[in-house]
Amino acid sequence: MEDFDFVKRPILIVEDEPVNRLLLAGMLEENYEILQAADGREAMRYIEKGEDIALILLDLLMPNMNGYEVLRALRERKLLTQIPVIVLTSETSAEVQSLNLGAIDFIPKPYDAPEVIRARVRRIIQMSEDSAALRRVGQDPLTGLFVPSFFFRRIERIERYAPDRVMDAMAINVNNFHLINNLYGRACGDDVLLILADALKNEMEACLGVACREHGDNFYLYMEHHANPEDMLIRIADGVRQRAGIKTLRLRMGVYPEVDRKVSMEDRFARAEHACQTLRGNYTRRVAVYDEEMFHNESFANNLLESFDEALAEGQFQVWYQPQYDIRGDVPVLSGAEALVRWLHPRYGMVRPDKFIPLFEANGLIARLDRLVWHTAASQVRKWHDEYGSKLSVSVNVSRISIRDPRLEEDLLDIAQHTGIHCRDLVLEVTESAYADSMEQLVNTVGNLRANGFLVEMDDFGSGYSSLNMLTSLPMDALKVDMKLIRHITDSEKDLHVLTLILDIARSLALPVVAEGVETQAQFDLLKQLGCDRIQGYYFSKPVTAFEFSHFLVQPTGKPA
Ligand code: C2E
Ligand code: CA
Ligand code: CA
């Protein structure tokens, strides 16, 4: 449809008067390929052959098979939605009848206004192609909104006609949409998306903007610059909350305002989305605007992504280890270590995983990094066993992506075999949010891993949307309580209460509990008193290199100096 002016569409002229056929052909042949039929039967032959016809100009009164019969035949074959028909007629009553039969428009005889005819033909072909193309690929089947590729092209077209307008690109997202799916069911989730799409459509109609569903619960808007987009978002969210009947539903929005037209369409929305991402986990703000700082962060992120392969090849990733102590006895005893990756970047120096793990998770690179870390950690365990006769196990992080990888089990078994360790020496930390994403699948995966002898711990418990009853239905070997929950146990009654509750339930399930991020003596004492099994945190040690870690192996009991 975009190349409307360059491709000659075929038009079938069905008319028994040769003069009329010639007249019409003459008006149109410059812009269209003309097919001619002298009666309905001949016309049907073209159609049955499956000829790609953009439009039919149909006379009504003809020998053999007249225009009404052609319309009926087309209707029976359900072809009228694909091929628009304009009826050629001289009487008003016939016009009404043929419109009723499914003709889309009519051209009155005699043909004395060529420019009107050309304009009609052009408009109808365009309309029909627009809607046909949309039905095929341009429209999101659930919401009826544009899909991104069409959306982008639509914007390009708008911009051709209004090159001076100042526009905003926006990304809208439902907070914790997966929870709506999990709690209320997919059908309800679909409803929410439909209602939201509808609200966006209405909003955009009012301001000549366009909306698109990017995927899942991600939507894009493109509209004339809006001084206060938050008002708009509040209005939309209120409407959706009400119609969907979900009081807790929240929307967030990222805005890339006053777009620079030199920035590609994809990048404009990537910026809006980037702004939106910064709101993740933020419950006080719902709108974020893309700015200079984000631009710098983004180029930092891009540089990291681009240097990933090089970093792997040149061994810039290092694995550090943080000790874990069993605190059930009189003195703490070294019980394990968590492997934590570090990036010694030639330009940025030591980069913390918080800066790059989320990036690599977003594009799948994390799967490769995970394997490097697992392999390194497993080889290290083997070395420690050999050199120090230790029985230490090492915990590794399994990213959200890796835990869904069908080859996970095979890869881990390979690593264990290659490095010559027992599966039980590799503890797999699976983050709580991965469980929340899709319980059922994870229960299976984790079940298989444990059947192979790997130990599996739920990481970051209490950092997100864990529910306590999740614990009863999931197979795992230990629970690792997130440091956010530990931080305030000595000064917040509430946090202490929550932690006590978790410990009680874990105890009733015979599930060992690891507390991480323990920094102070007071936290340590309290956790010991509450019956926590193991502890990891600065109280004992920060993560250190493999070399430095040997200190702990030499003296595995008591608090390290
Ligand atoms: P995590 O798995 O929750 O790891 C614990 C993080 O807490 C580590 O940060 C550790 O250095 C830090 N930490 C430990 N004790 C304390 C403490 O007492 N106080 C404070 N304030 N922090 C403490 P790190 O190494 O920066 O890792 C951050 C996150 O990055 C990790 O959180 C994990 O989600 C991810 N990560 C790290 N290494 C890997 C890896 O090899 N693979 C994958 N997939 N993710 C990794
Ligand atoms: Ca971890
Ligand atoms: Ca953790």
Side-chain angles (χ1 to χ4, degrees), residues 433-467:
S433 55
Y435 282 96
D437 285 352
S438 70
M439 284 271 258
E440 218 170 290
Q441 194 199 342
L442 261 185
V443 170
N444 271 328
T445 309
V446 169
N448 290 340
L449 291 169
R450 293 177 80 217
N452 277 303
F454 294 104
L455 297 175
V456 178
E457 296 186 356
M458 190 193 284
D459 198 3
D460 309 322
F461 187 75
S463 64
Y465 289 86
S466 39
S467 60

Side-chain angles (χ1 to χ4, degrees), residues 322 338 341-342 352 354 370 397 459-460 483 519 538 543:
Q322 185 177 32
E338 177 173 6
V341 70
R342 299 287 179 263
R352 293 283 300 258
D354 292 329
D370 271 350
N397 292 285
D459 198 3
D460 309 322
M483 65 181 98
E519 296 184 350
Y538 295 172

Side-chain angles (χ1 to χ4, degrees), residues 138-199:
Q139 222 172 13
D140 166 48
L142 176 69
T143 63
L145 291 181
F146 285 116
V147 298
S149 55
F150 265 69
F151 174 72
F152 293 158
R153 276 199 267 162
R154 176 56 61 97
I155 296 174
E156 275 159 12
R157 198 192 292 178
I158 293 174
E159 301 207 324
R160 242 179 282 140
Y161 292 109
D164 300 322
R165 253 194 237 169
V166 181
M167 306 296 284
D168 294 346
M170 302 171 175
I172 291 189
N173 194 260
V174 183
N175 274 16
N176 297 306
F177 181 67
H178 68 275
L179 273 190
I180 295 181
N181 273 335
N182 284 354
L183 291 173
Y184 305 101
R186 280 198 83 85
C188 175
D190 282 357
D191 266 353
V192 167
L193 295 178
L194 267 173
I195 292 169
L196 174 57
D198 206 41

Side-chain angles (χ1 to χ4, degrees), residues 383-436:
K383 251 190 174 156
W384 284 333
H385 287 193
D386 293 348
E387 288 173 19
Y388 297 88
S390 87
K391 289 213 164 61
L392 196 84
S393 62
V394 170
S395 309
V396 293
N397 292 285
V398 180
S399 68
R400 241 179 294 271
I401 308 289
S402 294
I403 194 73
R404 289 218 169 67
D405 186 338
R407 291 207 328 266
L408 173 68
E409 196 178 324
E410 194 186 320
D411 288 353
L412 282 166
L413 286 171
D414 263 3
I415 289 175
Q417 204 190 2
H418 260 94
T419 53
I421 62 164
H422 292 297
C423 294
R424 61 166 186 272
D425 296 330
L426 214 50
V427 182
L428 309 174
E429 294 193 2
V430 180
T431 179
E432 165 204 271
S433 55
Y435 282 96

Side-chain angles (χ1 to χ4, degrees), residues 348-391:
Y348 301 117
M350 160 102 99
V351 188
R352 293 283 300 258
D354 292 329
K355 294 268 185 258
F356 58 85
I357 300 274
L359 291 177
F360 294 169
E361 269 181 348
N363 68 5
L365 289 179
I366 189 69
R368 286 162 65 197
L369 183 62
D370 271 350
R371 276 149 186 82
L372 171 79
V373 174
W374 301 341
H375 197 278
T376 312
S379 318
Q380 191 60 59
V381 170
R382 175 73 219 204
K383 251 190 174 156
W384 284 333
H385 287 193
D386 293 348
E387 288 173 19
Y388 297 88
S390 87
K391 289 213 164 61

Side-chain angles (χ1 to χ4, degrees), residues 11-22 24-25 34-47 53 55-65 70 88:
I11 293 182
L12 175 61
I13 300 174
V14 194
E15 158 80 79
D16 59 332
E17 283 291 337
V19 182
N20 281 344
R21 281 207 302 275
L22 279 179
L24 284 171
I34 306 295
L35 306 169
Q36 301 189 26
D39 58 44
R41 220 181 277 162
E42 219 178 295
M44 287 314 289
R45 274 202 290 275
Y46 275 116
I47 293 160
I53 297 166
L55 173 74
I56 300 175
L57 296 175
L58 181 66
D59 187 19
L60 288 176
L61 304 178
M62 294 179 294
N64 291 326
M65 187 179 185
V70 172
L88 311 166

